Coordinates of all heavy atoms in Angstrom, one line a residue:
I12 N 137.2 -39.9 197.7 CA 138.7 -40.1 197.6 C 139.3 -38.8 197.9 O 138.9 -37.8 197.4 CB 139.1 -40.7 196.2 CG1 138.6 -42.1 196.0 CG2 140.7 -40.7 196.1 CD1 138.8 -42.6 194.6
G13 N 140.4 -38.8 198.7 CA 141.1 -37.6 199.0 C 142.6 -37.9 199.0 O 143.1 -38.7 199.7
I14 N 143.3 -37.1 198.1 CA 144.8 -37.3 198.0 C 145.4 -35.9 198.2 O 145.0 -34.9 197.5 CB 145.3 -37.8 196.7 CG1 144.5 -39.1 196.3 CG2 146.8 -38.0 196.7 CD1 144.8 -40.3 197.1
V15 N 146.2 -35.7 199.2 CA 146.9 -34.4 199.4 C 148.4 -34.7 199.4 O 148.9 -35.4 200.2 CB 146.5 -33.7 200.7 CG1 147.4 -32.5 201.0 CG2 145.0 -33.2 200.6
A16 N 149.1 -34.1 198.4 CA 150.6 -34.2 198.3 C 151.2 -32.9 198.8 O 150.9 -31.8 198.2 CB 151.0 -34.5 196.9
A17 N 152.1 -32.9 199.7 CA 152.8 -31.8 200.2 C 154.3 -32.1 199.9 O 155.1 -32.4 200.9 CB 152.6 -31.5 201.7
P18 N 154.8 -31.9 198.7 CA 156.1 -32.4 198.4 C 157.2 -31.7 199.0 O 158.3 -32.3 199.3 CB 156.1 -32.3 196.8 CG 155.1 -31.2 196.5 CD 154.0 -31.4 197.5
A19 N 157.1 -30.4 199.3 CA 158.2 -29.7 200.0 C 158.3 -30.1 201.4 O 159.3 -29.9 202.0 CB 157.9 -28.2 199.9
L20 N 157.3 -30.8 202.0 CA 157.3 -31.4 203.3 C 157.5 -32.9 203.3 O 157.6 -33.5 204.3 CB 156.0 -31.0 204.0 CG 155.7 -29.6 204.2 CD1 154.3 -29.4 204.8 CD2 156.7 -28.9 205.1
D21 N 157.6 -33.4 202.1 CA 157.8 -34.9 201.9 C 156.6 -35.6 202.5 O 156.9 -36.7 203.2 CB 159.1 -35.4 202.4 CG 159.5 -36.8 201.9 OD1 159.0 -37.2 200.8 OD2 160.2 -37.5 202.6
E22 N 155.4 -35.2 202.3 CA 154.2 -35.8 202.9 C 153.2 -36.1 201.8 O 152.9 -35.3 200.9 CB 153.6 -34.9 203.9 CG 154.5 -34.8 205.1 CD 153.9 -34.0 206.2 OE1 152.9 -33.3 206.0 OE2 154.4 -34.0 207.4
L23 N 152.6 -37.3 201.9 CA 151.5 -37.7 201.0 C 150.4 -38.3 201.8 O 150.6 -39.4 202.5 CB 152.0 -38.7 200.0 CG 150.9 -39.2 199.0 CD1 150.5 -38.1 198.1 CD2 151.5 -40.4 198.1
Y24 N 149.2 -37.7 201.8 CA 148.0 -38.2 202.5 C 147.1 -38.9 201.5 O 146.9 -38.4 200.4 CB 147.3 -37.1 203.1 CG 148.0 -36.3 204.2 CD1 148.9 -35.3 203.8 CD2 147.7 -36.5 205.5 CE1 149.6 -34.6 204.8 CE2 148.4 -35.8 206.5 CZ 149.3 -34.8 206.2 OH 150.0 -34.1 207.1
V25 N 146.7 -40.1 201.8 CA 145.8 -40.9 200.9 C 144.6 -41.4 201.7 O 144.8 -42.1 202.7 CB 146.6 -42.1 200.3 CG1 145.7 -42.9 199.4 CG2 147.8 -41.6 199.5
A26 N 143.4 -41.2 201.2 CA 142.2 -41.6 201.9 C 141.2 -42.0 200.9 O 141.0 -41.4 199.9 CB 141.7 -40.5 202.9
Q27 N 140.4 -43.0 201.3 CA 139.2 -43.4 200.6 C 138.1 -43.7 201.6 O 138.3 -44.3 202.7 CB 139.4 -44.7 199.7 CG 138.2 -45.1 198.9 CD 138.5 -46.3 198.1 OE1 139.6 -46.6 197.7 NE2 137.5 -47.1 197.8
R28 N 136.9 -43.3 201.3 CA 135.8 -43.4 202.2 C 135.6 -44.9 202.6 O 135.5 -45.8 201.7 CB 134.5 -42.9 201.5 CG 133.3 -42.9 202.5 CD 132.1 -42.5 201.8 NE 130.9 -42.5 202.6 CZ 129.7 -42.6 202.2 NH1 129.4 -42.8 200.9 NH2 128.7 -42.6 203.1
G29 N 135.6 -45.1 203.9 CA 135.4 -46.5 204.4 C 136.7 -47.3 204.4 O 136.7 -48.5 204.9
Q30 N 137.8 -46.8 203.9 CA 139.0 -47.6 203.8 C 140.2 -47.0 204.6 O 141.3 -47.5 204.6 CB 139.5 -47.6 202.3 CG 138.5 -48.2 201.3 CD 138.2 -49.6 201.6 OE1 139.1 -50.4 201.8 NE2 136.9 -50.0 201.6
G31 N 139.9 -46.0 205.4 CA 141.0 -45.4 206.2 C 141.8 -44.4 205.5 O 141.6 -44.0 204.3
V32 N 142.9 -43.9 206.2 CA 143.7 -42.9 205.7 C 145.2 -43.1 206.2 O 145.4 -43.6 207.3 CB 143.3 -41.5 206.2 CG1 143.2 -41.4 207.7 CG2 144.2 -40.4 205.6
T33 N 146.1 -42.8 205.3 CA 147.5 -42.9 205.7 C 148.3 -41.6 205.4 O 147.9 -40.9 204.5 CB 148.2 -44.1 204.9 OG1 148.1 -43.8 203.5 CG2 147.6 -45.4 205.3
L34 N 149.3 -41.4 206.1 CA 150.3 -40.4 205.8 C 151.6 -41.1 205.5 O 152.2 -41.8 206.4 CB 150.5 -39.4 207.0 CG 151.7 -38.5 206.9 CD1 151.7 -37.7 205.7 CD2 151.7 -37.6 208.2
N35 N 152.2 -41.0 204.3 CA 153.3 -41.7 203.9 C 153.3 -43.2 204.3 O 154.2 -43.8 204.7 CB 154.6 -41.1 204.5 CG 154.9 -39.7 204.0 OD1 154.3 -39.3 203.0 ND2 155.7 -39.0 204.7
G36 N 152.1 -43.8 204.0 CA 151.9 -45.2 204.2 C 151.5 -45.6 205.7 O 151.2 -46.8 205.9
Q37 N 151.5 -44.7 206.6 CA 151.3 -45.0 208.0 C 149.9 -44.5 208.4 O 149.6 -43.3 208.1 CB 152.3 -44.5 208.9 CG 153.7 -44.9 208.6 CD 153.9 -46.4 208.8 OE1 153.5 -47.0 209.8 NE2 154.5 -47.1 207.8
K38 N 149.1 -45.3 209.1 CA 147.8 -44.9 209.5 C 147.9 -43.7 210.5 O 148.8 -43.6 211.3 CB 147.0 -46.0 210.2 CG 146.6 -47.1 209.2 CD 145.8 -48.2 209.9 CE 145.4 -49.3 209.0 NZ 144.6 -50.3 209.6
I39 N 146.9 -42.8 210.4 CA 146.9 -41.6 211.3 C 145.5 -41.5 211.9 O 144.5 -42.1 211.4 CB 147.2 -40.3 210.5 CG1 146.3 -40.1 209.3 CG2 148.7 -40.3 210.1 CD1 146.5 -38.7 208.6
A40 N 145.4 -40.7 212.9 CA 144.1 -40.5 213.6 C 144.1 -39.1 214.3 O 145.2 -38.6 214.7 CB 143.8 -41.6 214.6
V41 N 142.9 -38.6 214.5 CA 142.8 -37.3 215.2 C 143.2 -37.4 216.7 O 143.3 -38.5 217.2 CB 141.3 -36.8 215.1 CG1 140.9 -36.5 213.7 CG2 140.3 -37.8 215.8
S42 N 143.4 -36.3 217.3 CA 144.0 -36.3 218.6 C 143.1 -36.8 219.7 O 143.5 -37.4 220.7 CB 144.4 -34.9 219.0 OG 143.2 -34.1 219.2
G43 N 141.8 -36.6 219.6 CA 140.9 -37.1 220.7 C 140.8 -36.1 221.8 O 140.1 -36.3 222.8
V44 N 141.4 -34.9 221.7 CA 141.3 -33.9 222.7 C 139.8 -33.5 223.0 O 139.0 -33.3 222.1 CB 142.1 -32.6 222.3 CG1 141.7 -31.4 223.2 CG2 143.5 -32.9 222.4
D45 N 139.4 -33.5 224.3 CA 138.1 -33.2 224.6 C 137.9 -31.9 225.5 O 136.8 -31.6 226.0 CB 137.4 -34.4 225.4 CG 138.2 -34.8 226.7 OD1 139.1 -34.1 227.0 OD2 137.8 -35.8 227.2
D46 N 139.0 -31.2 225.7 CA 139.0 -30.0 226.6 C 139.4 -28.8 225.7 O 140.6 -28.8 225.2 CB 139.9 -30.2 227.7 CG 140.0 -29.0 228.7 OD1 139.3 -28.0 228.4 OD2 140.8 -29.1 229.6
I47 N 138.5 -27.8 225.5 CA 138.9 -26.7 224.7 C 140.0 -25.9 225.3 O 140.8 -25.3 224.5 CB 137.6 -25.7 224.6 CG1 137.9 -24.6 223.5 CG2 137.3 -25.1 225.9 CD1 137.9 -25.1 222.1
G48 N 140.3 -26.1 226.6 CA 141.4 -25.4 227.2 C 142.7 -26.0 226.8 O 143.8 -25.5 227.1
R49 N 142.7 -27.2 226.2 CA 143.9 -27.9 225.7 C 144.0 -27.9 224.2 O 144.9 -28.4 223.5 CB 144.0 -29.3 226.2 CG 144.2 -29.4 227.7 CD 144.2 -30.9 228.1 NE 145.2 -31.6 227.3 CZ 144.9 -32.8 226.7 NH1 143.7 -33.3 226.7 NH2 145.9 -33.4 225.9
A50 N 143.0 -27.3 223.5 CA 142.8 -27.4 222.1 C 143.7 -26.4 221.3 O 143.8 -25.2 221.7 CB 141.4 -27.2 221.7
Y51 N 144.3 -26.9 220.2 CA 145.1 -26.1 219.3 C 144.2 -25.9 218.0 O 144.0 -26.9 217.3 CB 146.4 -26.8 219.0 CG 147.5 -25.9 218.4 CD1 147.5 -24.5 218.5 CD2 148.5 -26.5 217.7 CE1 148.5 -23.8 218.0 CE2 149.5 -25.8 217.1 CZ 149.5 -24.4 217.3 OH 150.5 -23.7 216.7
V52 N 143.7 -24.7 217.8 CA 142.8 -24.5 216.7 C 143.4 -23.7 215.6 O 144.0 -22.6 215.9 CB 141.5 -23.8 217.3 CG1 140.5 -23.5 216.2 CG2 140.9 -24.6 218.5
E53 N 143.2 -24.1 214.4 CA 143.6 -23.3 213.2 C 142.4 -22.6 212.7 O 141.4 -23.2 212.4 CB 144.3 -24.1 212.2 CG 144.7 -23.3 211.0 CD 145.6 -23.9 210.0 OE1 146.0 -25.1 210.2 OE2 146.0 -23.2 209.0
L54 N 142.5 -21.3 212.5 CA 141.5 -20.5 211.9 C 141.9 -20.0 210.5 O 142.9 -19.2 210.4 CB 141.1 -19.3 212.8 CG 140.4 -19.7 214.1 CD1 140.1 -18.5 214.9 CD2 139.2 -20.5 214.0
G55 N 141.2 -20.4 209.4 CA 141.5 -19.9 208.2 C 140.9 -18.5 208.0 O 140.1 -18.1 208.8

């Protein structure tokens, strides 16, 4: 189970293994980008 609340951004992510994930009740999905030349990468 994964819940991430970002209240200052008014965002709530809710996920359960095998049950999908939503952001503020709407389903979300990764970008599907397959070219590193188009990729936007965050480095912590």
Side-chain angles (χ1 to χ4, degrees):
I12 294 170
I14 312 292
V15 168
L20 301 172
D21 194 26
E22 293 183 345
L23 180 66
Y24 297 82
V25 178
Q27 181 179 333
R28 186 184 181 206
Q30 301 295 315
V32 57
T33 60
L34 166 56
N35 293 347
Q37 302 297 312
K38 291 184 178 179
I39 57 175
V41 297
S42 68
V44 165
D45 59 4
D46 178 2
I47 191 70
R49 293 179 52 231
Y51 196 24
V52 179
E53 180 168 0
L54 295 179

